[in-house]
Amino acid sequence: MNFDTYDFNGKKALVRVDFNVPLNDQLEITDDTRMQAAVPTMKKILADGGRLILMSHLGRPKNNEPEFSLRHLVNHLEHLLSTPVKFADNCVGDDALDLTSGMQNGEVVLLENLRYHKEETAGDEFFAGQLAEHADVYVNDAFGTAHRAHASTAIIARFFPHDKLFGKIMEGEITAIDKVLHDSEKPVTAIIGGAKVSSKISIIENLLGRMDHILIGGGMAFTFIKAQGGNVGSSLTEDDKMELALDILKAAKEKGTQIHLPTDAIAADAFNNEANRQTCAIGEIPDGWMGLDIGPDSVEQYKQVIENSKTILWNGPMGVFEMENFAQGTVAVAKKLAEVTQTGTFTLIGGGDSVAAINQFNLADQVSYVSTGGGAMLEYLEGKVLPGIAAVRE
Ligand code: AMP
């Protein structure tokens, strides 16, 4: 079922959005990216003449603390949609049902925080059924929670066997990731960085055989280098993962994926932007020094692979990009990705820190797709079935 061609006219559409926005002490929204992202989905339903019922979680309330109320979002939502928004004090129950059953076409109701009921995260079927009573059609547009089997993200879909669909955010995310994993124009390359190899192992394993190239950067590179017998000084390593690192390199060869490790590093004598620095061959980092960025030779080598790829996934920074003196590798990769996007290469940026990096360098609008769902994106890349996706597809 396709969101764009579905006719919402006269239908009560229950949309699971991700309005989990940060609020300051005055309960003002400090970053409305997630609300903005849902506007196209919400506007399409209203433009069709649908009745828009929105549900979301906000934070992690324990005892229905008022600071987690979605009421704080009403004014801003009215501003984004240019239309009044009614608020239901409880997401389920008679009062909420009275409100939604009395809606006219083109009206909007925002339901109170789903997580004021512990049944939400428990994936309770009865609670999901209570939510389902509001509507004729269910739309899931909360990619950020698609990896959770919660009542509103997965269980509820079974109450709409014929009328359940993905909203525009979900469709965009799924299409972008599938384009890299299953439907890529070759050569296809994954750039994987970040602090620890342990958090990326499942992703790398799932990418072996699918990618032509994997470029490794960040702290995780040093576990591979040390496992190969290199001297990495006091760089970040996970010694209990060294054997696994060697297994990955072996499996990559067998599956036809070329893994590239950095050939040099910018080393520092302390974990500090002002520390002394030197460029070292990757396996020759002196004792007491730690690699905090990939070096210029590695940057050139990686830029070459990027230049020759047609599809690219980037997850995880090449170094400690939060410190200016160790951001060069990450900046160079980000700029090169922006450059090749111009000439038709598909570039997907996903996972918290690479998204933070691309935003920090103001290049987010120059790549093909920036994923919004950190944990969900990582689990999808690991090859896991996400409950929020499976429930709508079933
Ligand atoms: P992750 O959350 O695993 O993607 O890791 C991101 C973090 O890894 C960022 O905060 C970086 O500062 C950090 N990082 C990247 N390279 C290194 C490195 N060589 N040594 C220590 N930390 C690093």
Side-chain angles (χ1 to χ4, degrees):
M1 208 171 284
N2 184 296
F3 182 79
D4 281 328
T5 54
Y6 191 94
D7 184 4
F8 288 93
N9 188 23
K11 297 254 170 81
K12 283 186 287 174
L14 180 57
V15 186
R16 176 48 158 107
V17 285
D18 178 2
F19 282 177
N20 185 27
V21 291
L23 301 175
N24 64 17
D25 291 347
Q26 278 76 50
L27 301 173
E28 295 158 343
I29 300 163
T30 54
D31 178 354
D32 75 341
T33 309
R34 289 174 172 163
M35 292 176 76
Q36 293 247 21
V39 168
T41 295
M42 298 189 288
K43 284 208 162 154
K44 143 81 179 159
I45 293 169
L46 293 174
D48 276 3
R51 305 165 188 199
L52 179 62
I53 305 163
L54 298 164
M55 59 176 173
S56 178
H57 74 287
L58 176 62
R60 295 186 171 174
K62 292 198 168 57
N63 296 307
N64 295 15
E65 299 91 330
E67 63 265 34
F68 295 114
S69 172
L70 281 164
R71 185 182 288 283
H72 311 306
L73 276 53
V74 169
N75 284 347
H76 191 59
L77 187 59
E78 289 182 329
H79 169 72
L80 288 176
L81 296 176
S82 311
T83 197
V85 172
K86 290 182 183 156
F87 185 72
D89 286 327
N90 190 349
C91 59
V92 292
D94 289 343
D95 289 349
L97 280 176
D98 282 349
L99 198 59
T100 54
S101 60
M103 289 172 81
Q104 302 295 315
N105 292 358
E107 283 191 347
V108 186
V109 167
L110 175 64
L111 303 179
E112 181 57 288
N113 196 341
L114 293 159
R115 290 197 188 164
Y116 278 174
H117 296 260
K118 63 180 183 332
E119 292 85 353
E120 161 64 359
T121 50
D124 184 85
E125 187 163 13
F126 181 76
F127 177 67
Q130 286 183 299
L131 289 169
E133 277 182 59
H134 284 296
D136 309 306
V137 47
Y138 167 68
V139 178
N140 188 349
D141 210 22
F143 184 71
T145 49
H147 56 318
R148 310 274 183 227
H150 293 171
S152 70
T153 60
I155 312 304
I156 191 171
R158 65 186 65 151
F159 295 93
F160 299 89
H162 305 298
D163 295 281
K164 51 182 179 176
L165 49 166
F166 297 124
K168 282 180 168 299
I169 299 173
M170 283 288 265
E171 276 186 358
E173 295 275 351
I174 294 169
T175 308
I177 306 177
D178 281 349
K179 204 160 171 166
V180 172
L181 288 185
H182 305 297
D183 191 20
S184 55
E185 196 182 334
K186 307 253 169 190
V188 50
T189 295
I191 308 165
I192 308 288
K196 292 186 168 180
V197 69
S198 53
S199 62
K200 304 286 163 83
I201 281 167
S202 307
I203 295 180
I204 297 176
E205 283 175 344
N206 191 42
L207 294 178
L208 295 181
R210 296 181 203 271
M211 300 292 122
D212 298 302
H213 301 275
I214 297 181
L215 310 179
I216 306 266
M220 59 185 275
F222 296 104
T223 299
F224 287 91
I225 301 298
K226 188 170 177 185
Q228 290 180 322
N231 189 352
V232 299
S234 45
S235 303
L236 187 67
T237 57
E238 290 170 282
D239 292 356
D240 60 331
K241 295 290 179 289
M242 290 203 297
E243 213 170 289
L244 197 58
L246 294 178
D247 289 346
I248 287 175
L249 295 176
K250 190 159 158 258
K253 279 210 179 84
E254 287 162 9
K255 293 187 173 182
T257 297
Q258 204 181 333
I259 293 195
H260 303 251
L261 293 168
T263 48
D264 58 351
I266 310 291
D269 60 358
F271 190 81
N272 179 331
N273 191 46
E274 309 312 325
N276 295 308
R277 306 190 291 280
Q278 58 172 314
T279 303
C280 306
I282 196 78
E284 297 173 21
I285 298 177
D287 290 348
W289 291 68
M290 62 189 90
L292 294 184
D293 196 6
I294 58 173
D297 285 350
S298 313
V299 167
E300 282 315 308
Q301 181 200 329
Y302 286 9
K303 275 163 77 171
Q304 204 60 46
V305 178
I306 293 171
E307 175 85 38
N308 293 327
S309 300
K310 292 309 291 174
T311 308
I312 303 172
L313 160 73
W314 179 30
N315 174 283
M318 297 292 97
V320 186
F321 73 100
E322 299 92 334
M323 299 184 200
E324 201 186 343
N325 287 331
F326 306 104
Q328 296 316 311
T330 307
V331 173
V333 162
K335 282 193 174 156
K336 191 69 189 171
L337 289 176
E339 186 189 312
V340 298
T341 309
Q342 297 268 324
T343 53
T345 298
F346 182 78
T347 50
L348 165 62
I349 320 302
D353 274 306
S354 21
V355 174
I358 204 98
N359 284 331
Q360 187 176 316
F361 311 145
N362 288 321
L363 292 169
D365 57 350
Q366 293 178 48
V367 293
S368 307
Y369 197 87
V370 179
S371 174
T372 54
M377 160 97 179
L378 295 186
E379 290 199 15
Y380 201 150
L381 290 175
E382 288 172 2
K384 289 190 184 151
V385 174
L386 306 192
I389 294 179
V392 170
R393 280 191 177 152
E394 261 161 19

